[in-house]
Amino acid sequence: MKTIGIAGTAKNTGKTTTASALLREAYRRHRRIAITSIGYDGEEWDNITGLPKPRLPVQRGTIVATARKCLTVSSANIRILEDTFIRSALGSIVIGEVIDPGLVVIAGPNKSVEVGRVKKALTRYRPDLLMVDGALNRIAPMVEVDGLILATGAARIVDPQRLARETESIAHIFELPYRSPALFGDKGGVAWRRGEGWVSLPFSGTQLLTSEDGESLAKELIDFLPQEHVEGTIQMPPLVTTKAIRSLLTAVGTRLKQWPIYFRDAISLLLSDLPEETYFMLEQLKSLGLRPFVRKNVPLLMVTVNPFYPEYDPGSQTYQARFLQAGLLEGRIGRKIRIPVMDVKRKGARSLWRKTIGF
Amino acid sequence: MAFERRKILLVPLDPVHDIGLKMIRRGLEQAGHQTMLLPPDLPPEEIVSIMGKEHPDHVMISRTLGYGVGEVLGRFVDLADAAGLRDKTALVVGGMAVRPELAAELGFDAGFGPGTSVEEVVAFVEGRPYQPDLAGAKKQKKDITAGYAYEYRHAGIGNLLEKIVTNILTWSEGKISPGILRSRLRDESWDVESFRQGKVSREFSEAYAQLCDPVPQAFHRKGEVHPKTRRQTDQEIARLEDYLTKTKSRMTVSKVQHVEGQPKVFIQYGTGCPFMDIAHIKVCEAWGADGVVHFDPSWGARTEGFIGGFLTHQEDGSVVTPENLSWIKAALEASTLWQVRAHRGLNTAETVVLAGKLGADLTKINIAYGSLAAGTDPARLTVDGIEAIRMAVKYKLPFDVVTNEELAGVPAHKAFAGMLIVTALGRRLGARPILQPLFSYSPEVMIGGQMINNYIDFNAAKIEALRSIIDAPLWPGAPIGFLTQTEDRVQSSMTTSLHAALAASLRVDAISIASSDEAYSGGPIIAASRVDTLQAVAEGFRFFGEGRITPTVHAQQWADEMVDKIEAVLKEVAQSPTFVEALYAGLLGSKEEGAYPGRGGRGTVTEK
């Protein structure tokens, strides 16, 4: 079973459109599909803007993992196969099989560990493909997928140039090389060579978030590190911010030259700041002679772009639907990154499938 | 179970919306929990950093929502997840636009929207099911006639009414009509239990058919339904059952009243389709309606006899059939009062029997209105009305005596005289009548100018006048604010709300309200517009509480005038050879005033 995640950079960037297109193509190719989501999505009306949103059309045989309350509001007839007993704001997450086709509302687990549990449970039903639909800009639980499709568009940033810059930064973050440090557990730590052996200083927390966090780690390192330059390695805790890394680098950056620096994965890096800031921080690391790696590889398979954006009309106090010129975003972003960029509504489901799933 | 002290981080994400959090903090601390209120407007990273250091059991964020705020909240949840804190800490979001679906979308474990009580949040923190204040939320049916002695407070008017009632009863002795015969047949030979089991008595059907017009005859003899109607299909019935099962399983009723003694609120349904009626009723019950009134089509009132079947049609009013009424009854919450109107047509008496057998709580009878403004022959409706009142006594159905002839142009004092005669008739026969004056911008005041300055005085005068005559329950209708509503839903809701507040201030027992689109819908009204007025009335009740609206001096002056005029009308009626002749003579509303004695059923009253 291959697991594909569809994450969005913001609301209305086309996650559900992308998911629906993949579904259509999967049915055309007679693939057995399982679907879940990070939390709740696919509702008829956007909860915040009040604009309509598509819901997912599913055919017989599709396996879904969704909150129990969503079964009653879905028009598809779904037979419950098992209850995962994972709690959500809309009831426990159940696994079901579509008996009669229709529209489905998917509200899956919203924590990384729960996505992992649901994924494991779904494996038993032997789908060819599991799609994990994102909700809003939720991305953290996407660490559980084998490949990611990123939906972005004018709803994230209306200015195509700025959006292209941001997407380029995201793509670069996903291009960080993968390597396993094999020295520390998930919380990370610092190790340097002393003679034939290594001195290691494991971290106690799971995060490095504020400038103060960065400064206090730097102080610890200054106290422990030998004065002369030594070979070493640093594995960051699961969650870091650019702020914390910068204050760390300011204090001890020059002493970490040539050290590999491990981040958990590209997804946690995306959470560290705005993508351009994060990318800039990674470039700074490189310029200081550090070598950034990720400990877990989540490939970015495709960027889908949506020219739609909601514009607030103060007169009527409502959001109005607006669109950028067709093809504009594909061109601007496509020129900057190596991975495929596509407006699903223009290029269609077949092309999307070929370039992302392939089988 | 031992008390488990929890640690809760309270996070206002913007400076002006932390009042709710402060209330929650007080509740949590009173319950013995440890709280920590963060300063407003911290970035998500800092909140997660504090979570990493403080290890709270719950983080409660309050934030108003706008475009972009969802992303901030989603990022916060992601940071907590990536930091490995998500499993150990329950994340909760609260705010004005928050609903459980939104909380789920943003990745929170729970979402608390407007109306959330502190107790509910404390229950969530303690991991126990929330038990709303059952005493407060529980609704019970109220007999709105309870506590009234029906004593005359105006001796002169009381004497006149008693004289008129005696005359009416004397005149009606030995008179019979097809309507009376059907009502007695329905009363004696139609077994509701057999009907519920789907057993059709051929004997009853044939005997009944003989008392009917051709259309009901065709139904009872050949099973043909009225050409304007069609039966609900099996698929529709299955869907209705499904809808009702699902809706009832999650149904809770609310209250619109803010303080004890504020009037019970009735809505009127009659879309033509019982399925749609039921959906509207469920919406209204959920938003606080205390009672519902069944509106039947006008052609039903002009036809001798009822048809049967679970029927729908595309006209105003839902057809009265045993099946339609049974489905409506099955849909009602136990606390909802149900009125089936019987007031105006050729089936008045039988409607009362049917309503009584099928479990209605109230009915509606008015001989004067039905014969002057609803098309039924005065003699026929007088004998049928008396029978209807007797049946209402038998089936213990209080009834309101509506004065809709005011809308035709009959002045209030004449309409009230007619209403008081029927009320006195009910009183004599042992019934529990309810006075139903209109709160409306009627033709009388449009011409007379009594509402040029305000809508308060003349309506208050009506209540004052009636109260000075008899100790009886009052239920202004129908709906309140009639002819003050426009197509603007805000205006329409507002005027309904203010008339409701006036009714509450005048301490009446019940009111009927319109939906905000009722006057101008041009077709079936929409459920959302029902919520408009129910909410508006709730706000009106909330605003005034036990406070009072003070009318100007005109109110008392007009009330006194009204009483004098009522007495004068009743004197004339008492002097008339018969009540029926008084109706024909225009004493209770003349042709010039828009009242026309009806022709429906003329010549059908016979001597036994």
Side-chain angles (χ1 to χ4, degrees):
Chain A
M1 179 182 80
K2 193 170 182 177
T3 306
I4 298 291
I6 302 162
T9 53
K11 251 181 148 36
N12 299 308
T13 48
K15 291 182 298 288
T16 310
T17 306
T18 302
S20 305
L22 280 180
L23 270 180
R24 270 200 313 280
E25 186 59 12
Y27 294 136
R28 200 185 66 80
R29 290 170 184 249
H30 304 293
R31 297 289 190 272
R32 186 166 163 84
I33 296 293
I35 317 169
T36 190
S37 69
I38 296 167
Y40 180 63
D41 207 351
E43 74 275 36
E44 215 164 352
W45 299 89
D46 185 301
N47 266 322
I48 293 170
T49 64
L51 295 172
K53 288 185 66 176
R55 298 197 299 174
L56 289 176
V58 288
Q59 289 188 7
R60 190 182 161 83
T62 308
I63 307 292
V64 297
T66 187
R68 201 172 267 273
K69 279 187 187 169
C70 294
L71 298 181
T72 51
V73 290
S74 300
S75 65
N77 192 10
I78 294 162
R79 180 166 61 99
I80 295 176
L81 300 169
E82 65 173 280
D83 193 328
T84 65
F85 300 105
I86 293 171
R87 286 169 58 189
S88 82
L90 298 172
S92 70
I93 309 294
V94 294
I95 293 178
E97 181 174 9
V98 177
I99 304 297
D100 298 313
L103 293 171
V104 71
V105 180
I106 301 277
N110 62 36
K111 302 171 191 167
S112 303
V113 282
E114 290 171 349
V115 172
R117 276 172 59 194
V118 165
K119 189 177 149 184
K120 201 171 159 193
L122 285 168
T123 315
R124 284 203 289 280
Y125 303 99
R126 300 184 178 284
D128 300 310
L129 177 72
L130 164 63
M131 273 183 11
V132 182
D133 194 6
L136 198 72
N137 58 338
R138 294 293 317 283
I139 193 166
M142 288 296 178
V143 291
E144 294 291 334
V145 304
D146 303 320
L148 194 66
I149 298 172
L150 185 78
T152 192
R156 165 76 179 171
I157 300 170
V158 181
D159 177 2
Q161 208 56 44
R162 278 186 53 215
L163 182 67
R165 275 205 303 275
E166 181 186 88
T167 315
E168 183 187 14
S169 301
I170 293 172
H172 284 315
I173 293 166
F174 275 93
E175 283 166 1
L176 276 183
Y178 160 77
R179 198 162 115 180
S180 171
L183 265 174
F184 299 100
D186 198 43
K187 287 180 180 172
V190 186
W192 62 93
R193 189 174 280 281
R194 189 161 67 191
E196 289 303 302
W198 287 82
V199 179
S200 69
L201 179 68
F203 296 150
S204 54
T206 55
Q207 50 188 304
L208 201 61
L209 293 174
T210 58
S211 309
E212 295 76 40
D213 290 346
E215 279 164 23
S216 65
L217 176 60
K219 270 185 202 153
E220 267 189 81
L221 289 180
I222 290 166
D223 289 346
F224 281 96
L225 276 179
Q227 288 300 317
E228 70 283 6
H229 181 261
V230 288
E231 184 190 348
T233 180
I234 181 164
Q235 180 189 323
M236 286 295 166
L239 182 61
V240 294
T241 62
T242 54
K243 258 189 237 163
I245 299 278
R246 284 215 182 93
S247 63
L248 174 73
L249 291 180
T250 310
V252 293
T254 51
R255 297 171 70 175
L256 309 176
K257 211 165 186 178
Q258 294 305 315
W259 283 29
I261 177 165
Y262 295 94
F263 296 100
R264 194 183 70 176
D265 49 51
I267 285 168
S268 66
L269 273 171
L270 277 183
L271 293 170
S272 64
D273 206 332
L274 293 172
E276 286 146 289
E277 291 295 321
T278 306
Y279 177 53
F280 181 63
M281 180 269 289
L282 293 171
E283 290 299 301
Q284 274 187 313
L285 287 178
K286 288 180 193 166
S287 68
L288 282 166
L290 280 96
R291 292 174 294 136
F293 293 97
V294 286
R295 296 188 281 125
K296 186 177 189 320
N297 193 24
V298 182
L300 182 62
L301 305 172
M302 152 89 71
V303 173
T304 62
V305 290
N306 184 5
F308 163 85
Y309 63 100
E311 187 177 69
Y312 188 70
D313 172 16
S316 64
Q317 297 189 1
T318 55
Y319 287 90
Q320 305 289 330
R322 298 272 184 270
F323 295 88
L324 292 180
Q325 186 193 334
L328 179 69
L329 291 179
E330 284 160 290
R332 291 277 170 91
I333 299 172
R335 279 196 288 278
K336 286 188 182 280
I337 65 176
R338 281 198 286 266
I339 52 166
V341 179
M342 175 188 292
D343 178 344
V344 178
K345 281 203 170 159
R346 267 161 49 87
K347 293 284 169 60
R350 287 189 193 190
S351 178
L352 172 69
W353 182 280
R354 234 180 12 252
K355 290 178 178 171
T356 51
I357 317 289
F359 66 91
Chain B
M1 200 172 68
F3 174 75
E4 212 174 317
R5 187 182 163 93
R6 310 273 185 182
K7 187 172 180 180
I8 302 108
L9 200 62
L10 300 163
V11 188
L13 266 192
D14 53 346
V16 291
H17 293 101
D18 65 347
I19 297 154
L21 273 187
K22 283 174 180 159
M23 286 169 65
I24 287 167
R25 180 187 207 187
R26 197 176 58 187
L28 288 168
E29 286 181 350
Q30 278 172 354
H33 300 290
Q34 185 190 349
T35 65
M36 197 176 155
L37 181 65
L38 296 188
D41 224 7
L42 288 182
E45 294 82 3
E46 277 192 53
I47 301 164
V48 174
S49 178
I50 294 165
M51 283 168 68
K53 287 166 194 152
E54 297 290 337
H55 304 291
D57 300 298
H58 292 78
V59 176
M60 299 194 164
I61 290 192
S62 86
R63 176 72 219 234
T64 45
L65 290 168
Y67 203 75
V69 175
E71 278 79 359
V72 174
L73 293 171
R75 179 155 186 272
F76 162 72
V77 175
D78 264 357
L79 288 172
D81 193 326
L85 301 169
R86 189 71 190 80
D87 266 0
K88 299 160 197 138
T89 310
L91 303 183
V92 180
V93 61
M96 288 306 279
V98 172
R99 296 186 301 281
E101 292 84 353
L102 182 70
E105 178 167 5
L106 297 172
F108 285 79
D109 295 300
F112 292 119
T116 304
S117 68
V118 171
E119 171 54 27
E120 193 174 348
V121 179
V122 174
F124 176 80
V125 163
E126 293 176 355
R128 57 182 167 83
Y130 171 56
Q131 303 276 349
D133 177 9
L134 291 176
K138 197 169 179 184
K139 281 181 84 163
Q140 282 182 331
K141 272 186 192 174
K142 189 192 168 192
D143 174 7
I144 53 181
T145 67
Y148 289 96
Y150 293 95
E151 281 168 3
Y152 294 119
R153 288 175 175 147
H154 189 295
I157 289 179
N159 288 336
L160 286 167
L161 287 169
E162 287 305 300
K163 187 180 171 198
I164 294 166
V165 165
T166 302
N167 287 345
I168 292 172
L169 291 174
T170 308
W171 171 84
S172 69
E173 256 173 51
K175 291 191 171 61
I176 200 86
S177 76
I180 293 175
L181 291 173
R182 279 195 311 277
S183 86
R184 290 179 186 170
L185 183 65
R186 181 75 71 179
D187 176 44
E188 290 157 13
S189 309
W190 188 75
D191 180 44
V192 72
E193 281 313 312
S194 303
F195 158 73
R196 284 185 180 134
Q197 289 161 20
K199 292 177 193 160
V200 182
S201 159
R202 288 195 160 219
E203 270 175 45
F204 170 80
S205 294
E206 184 45 42
Y208 187 84
Q210 286 175 17
L211 300 168
C212 293
D213 278 347
V215 168
Q217 263 175 12
F219 174 82
H220 291 285
R221 287 181 177 148
K222 292 182 270 179
E224 289 170 11
V225 297
H226 191 288
K228 287 184 175 184
T229 67
R230 70 164 176 82
R231 290 178 197 273
Q232 301 271 15
T233 64
D234 289 347
Q235 197 184 25
E236 285 167 341
I237 294 170
R239 281 185 187 157
L240 175 58
E241 279 176 342
D242 187 44
Y243 166 79
L244 265 179
T245 310
K246 282 180 184 164
T247 307
K248 285 204 156 200
S249 69
R250 59 167 194 262
M251 183 77 190
T252 51
V253 293
S254 58
K255 273 180 161 179
V256 287
Q257 292 80 10
H258 179 60
V259 294
E260 203 55 42
Q262 286 177 325
K264 297 290 167 193
V265 176
F266 285 74
I267 61 99
Q268 311 169 126
Y269 67 85
T271 60
C273 170
F275 194 158
M276 204 193 296
D277 286 342
I278 286 170
H280 279 229
I281 287 169
K282 299 320 285 178
V283 168
C284 292
E285 287 176 327
W287 289 89
D290 301 292
V292 298
V293 181
H294 185 101
F295 263 52
D296 53 317
S298 53
W299 58 260
R302 295 194 299 269
T303 308
E304 295 272 16
F306 288 126
I307 52 176
F310 188 25
L311 305 180
T312 182
H313 79 151
Q314 288 187 327
E315 279 186 29
D316 271 356
S318 295
V319 189
V320 171
T321 69
E323 288 82 355
N324 281 5
L325 293 182
S326 297
W327 272 100
I328 301 285
K329 172 67 182 171
L332 296 171
E333 294 299 307
S335 58
T336 303
L337 289 160
W338 183 34
Q339 184 186 44
V340 179
R341 308 187 313 167
H343 58 309
R344 60 183 178 182
L346 302 179
N347 300 309
T348 291
E350 192 191 349
T351 307
V352 176
V353 177
L354 204 51
K357 287 200 172 192
L358 293 171
D361 303 290
L362 296 149
T363 184
K364 186 185 276 282
I365 302 167
N366 188 349
I367 298 167
Y369 161 66
S371 50
L372 290 177
T376 307
D377 172 61
R380 170 65 187 270
L381 199 55
T382 303
V383 295
D384 279 21
I386 294 165
E387 175 78 2
I389 293 171
R390 288 193 166 117
M391 288 299 179
V393 173
K394 178 172 179 181
Y395 287 96
K396 297 188 173 58
L397 292 180
F399 59 90
D400 78 65
V401 191
V402 67
T403 47
N404 276 2
E405 58 266 49
E406 256 200 87
L407 300 175
V410 175
H413 67 273
K414 283 195 176 181
F416 285 5
M419 169 170 68
L420 287 165
I421 291 168
V422 176
T423 303
L425 199 49
R427 179 182 179 273
R428 175 80 66 88
L429 297 172
R432 309 283 298 170
I434 304 160
L435 303 174
Q436 189 158 90
L438 298 190
F439 272 11
S440 73
Y441 188 46
S442 63
E444 179 191 13
V445 297
M446 286 181 199
I447 296 161
Q450 294 92 328
M451 285 187 174
I452 283 177
N453 182 266
N454 62 60
Y455 288 141
I456 298 170
D457 291 339
F458 197 68
N459 288 324
K462 286 177 171 178
I463 302 300
E464 179 57 35
L466 291 170
R467 281 220 174 103
S468 70
I469 293 169
I470 188 167
D471 171 38
L474 283 152
W475 175 357
I480 51 165
F482 205 92
L483 296 173
T484 67
Q485 287 113 344
T486 68
E487 68 269 48
D488 177 334
R489 279 171 62 183
V490 175
Q491 185 278 340
S492 182
S493 307
M494 181 77 181
T495 186
T496 295
S497 173
L498 290 170
H499 279 87
L502 176 63
S505 172
L506 292 166
R507 287 278 188 253
V508 302
D509 302 279
I511 52 174
S512 291
I513 63 165
S515 65
S516 65
D517 65 349
E518 198 155 318
Y520 288 86
S521 67
I525 58 176
I526 60 166
S529 69
R530 294 195 177 276
V531 177
D532 288 347
T533 46
L534 283 164
Q535 280 287 75
V537 169
E539 281 306 307
F541 285 174
R542 174 69 187 86
F543 184 86
F544 284 97
E546 288 176 351
R548 285 283 182 278
I549 295 167
T550 311
T552 74
V553 287
H554 290 302
Q556 191 58 53
Q557 181 193 326
W558 286 332
D560 293 343
E561 278 175 21
M562 221 177 277
V563 173
D564 291 345
K565 286 178 179 173
I566 290 168
E567 190 173 13
V569 170
L570 292 174
K571 272 182 190 159
E572 286 183 273
V573 175
Q575 283 160 9
S576 181
T578 65
F579 173 63
V580 173
E581 282 178 63
L583 288 169
Y584 272 112
L587 301 182
L588 295 167
S590 65
K591 287 177 183 168
E592 295 72 35
E593 290 158 341
Y596 293 88
R599 294 176 186 177
R602 184 169 294 178
T604 54
V605 176
T606 51
E607 298 288 336
K608 265 185 210 168

